Amino acid sequence: MNWNVLFDFSPLVDEFDKILGAFWSTIRLSLMTGVLALILGTILAGMRVSPTPVLRAAGTFYVNTLRNTPLTLVLLFCSLALSDTLGLKLSNVSTVNFYWLAVFGLSAYTAAFVCEALRSGINTVPVGQAEAARAIGLTFTQSLRMVVLPQAFRAVIAPLGSITIAMMKNTTVVLVASYLEAAALMKDMFEEYGATLPIFLGFAAGFMILTLPTGFLFGWAAKRWAVAR
Amino acid sequence: MIGSVPVQGLPGGQHDVKFQLMTDSGKVASDTPSGGGPLVVLEKVNKYFGDLHVLQDIDLTVHRGEVVVVIGPSGGGKSTLCRSINRLEPIDDGKILVDGEALPAEGKQLARHRADVGMVFQSFNLFAHKTILQNVTLGPIKVRKVAKSTADKEALELLERVGIANQAEKYPAQLSGGQQQRAAIARALAMRPKVMLFDEPTSALDPEMVKEVLDVMTSLAGEGMTMIVVTHEMGFARRAANKVIFMADGQIVEENTPDEFFTNPRTDRAKDFLSKILTH
């Protein structure tokens, strides 16, 4: 057995710039996905509690479909079906095109989880407050936006943190959608240097450097913005 | 006298009504309310909760400036009646008119209607994530499109009036129940409603806080606000009401003046109810 290779950290040093670049791709993917998933998830949650049956049904159908489909399938659908077969081109630059396809696939999937977290947050807001909002003449959308959702968000900051961390780790699956991020580079390095423990540890640490502070940040925010009742 | 705020919907459109706090403990509302015309009219209103017929052929007319107190045993339909007037409970049959207009079914028009009908709840229902001041100004700013500076100024006047101006920057959870309920009354008044609905406003309060809320309501009644009040406070009914409605089992059993109702009730059902609550 070649113990030297197994404990050789030099590939991490040699390829440091590349690794930083790959994690930067992961960050860009996570940030854009986080923003889009939050927006889409909020709209979906609004649909699922709306008084209009058609909107409720559409929201429920979306959530049940996306939440119960493996992420790999969603991303393959984006890259193979949308891009290769249907010829959807979001940019002439291939990497940009695949970036957006990966973002859309990942956002569409994550939004279903955001929606369900938010919906449980909506349930923590006493129904009387929504009634009071309607009683002063706010419309359904106004009372959702100004009274119910602000409190619902604060109630679910912690679960949204878990969803965010899961989403950041899920970016590794976009490997299948032809976008190069940290996991893709790790796979390349495994092929070049052999699948060694140091490379694996290096990348695992890289993800923890991203996810641990995220967790702390959400935990702090959950306490900071808790609604006193 | 503490402030003056224009009140909408009184005869002659918008004009100033001077607000005063009550100093004497005498009867507040005049026996023949000024203005006079019908403001809230219910015709043959029916409502079911499943098999339960909670409102049975309810006919009721509330005139401008009138204070109507609704009393009766629990489960008799009092709250449902109150909530149906701004359609927090949709009715199954019949007609409800406010200021001559039928209640719109849904959407923007219903929202506009609700803006004209103030509502105070048993559990206050203040917006927990907003300060007291923001609670009061939200409606005027977002619904009435009043400028923030004007809304803030009027809200502070109202808070001053209900005696909690010094709590304006606090959050609801930091206030006592009585203070929260007075804030909720200010929030409803800020919309300059044509009529105020009170759904058991003192039932969730500790005994020592009931008076401060009733005092605010009594002074409102004295200023000519049209009020429909569901309550168990018989003292308030005697002092401030023009009319007492006794409801039981989904029906209006008796409609009477407070003096007549408490001293000489016409129906056995009312006699029975009064004997239970007045003798303990």
Side-chain angles (χ1 to χ4, degrees), chain A residues 2-140:
Chain A
N2 188 347
W3 294 97
N4 284 339
V5 172
L6 208 55
F7 291 106
D8 181 10
F9 282 85
S10 65
L12 289 174
V13 180
D14 295 344
E15 306 277 4
F16 191 67
D17 288 348
K18 255 182 153 178
I19 295 172
L20 274 190
F23 271 108
W24 176 236
S25 298
T26 298
I27 292 170
R28 290 200 315 153
L29 208 53
S30 302
L31 282 179
M32 187 57 79
T33 301
V35 171
L36 289 186
L38 196 61
I39 295 171
L40 183 58
T42 308
I43 295 171
L44 285 167
M47 287 168 73
R48 292 206 71 178
V49 298
S50 94
T52 317
V54 181
L55 288 180
R56 275 206 306 275
T60 309
F61 176 77
Y62 180 97
V63 168
N64 282 334
T65 309
L66 268 292
R67 199 170 54 156
N68 294 298
T69 308
L71 178 58
T72 315
L73 261 63
V74 176
L75 288 168
L76 277 176
F77 174 83
C78 286
S79 66
L80 298 181
L82 290 183
S83 178
D84 295 357
T85 311
L86 296 174
L88 178 74
K89 283 271 177 288
L90 299 155
S91 164
N92 288 325
V93 186
S94 163
T95 53
V96 178
N97 186 40
F98 283 118
Y99 169 77
W100 283 109
L101 285 169
V103 164
F104 288 151
L106 205 49
S107 312
Y109 176 82
T110 310
F113 294 88
V114 172
C115 165
E116 290 306 273
L118 257 185
R119 211 158 59 96
S120 74
I122 289 172
N123 288 334
T124 68
V125 183
V127 69
Q129 286 192 42
E131 285 186 346
R134 282 188 282 155
I136 57 169
L138 296 178
T139 61
F140 171 77

Side-chain angles (χ1 to χ4, degrees), chain A residues 137-148, chain B residues 111 142-143 145:
Chain A
L138 296 178
T139 61
F140 171 77
T141 3
Q142 280 179 319
S143 69
L144 196 64
R145 218 175 66 223
M146 297 163 192
V147 175
V148 179
Chain B
K142 299 296 178 184
V143 179
K145 311 288 179 202

Side-chain angles (χ1 to χ4, degrees), chain B residues 256-277:
Chain B
N256 213 333
T257 63
D259 281 345
E260 273 292 298
F261 180 79
F262 288 110
T263 53
N264 196 13
R266 286 194 293 258
T267 55
D268 291 341
R269 193 81 178 77
K271 274 177 201 154
D272 181 50
F273 177 75
L274 286 174
S275 73
K276 280 176 189 152
I277 58 158

Side-chain angles (χ1 to χ4, degrees), chain B residues 114-135:
Chain B
R114 282 176 174 149
D116 287 339
V117 179
M119 176 119 194
V120 176
F121 300 85
Q122 179 176 351
S123 47
F124 330 134
N125 296 342
L126 291 173
F127 308 132
H129 64 307
K130 291 188 177 293
T131 63
I132 297 304
L133 185 66
Q134 289 168 337
N135 264 276

Side-chain angles (χ1 to χ4, degrees), chain B residues 180-210:
Chain B
Q180 288 193 53
Q181 192 61 300
R182 287 185 281 155
I185 293 173
R187 174 176 68 181
L189 288 176
M191 298 304 290
R192 296 172 186 172
K194 295 172 178 172
V195 52
M196 287 281 285
L197 309 173
F198 293 84
D199 187 5
E200 301 204 20
T202 55
S203 302
L205 294 176
D206 293 336
E208 75 271 23
M209 292 167 186
V210 169

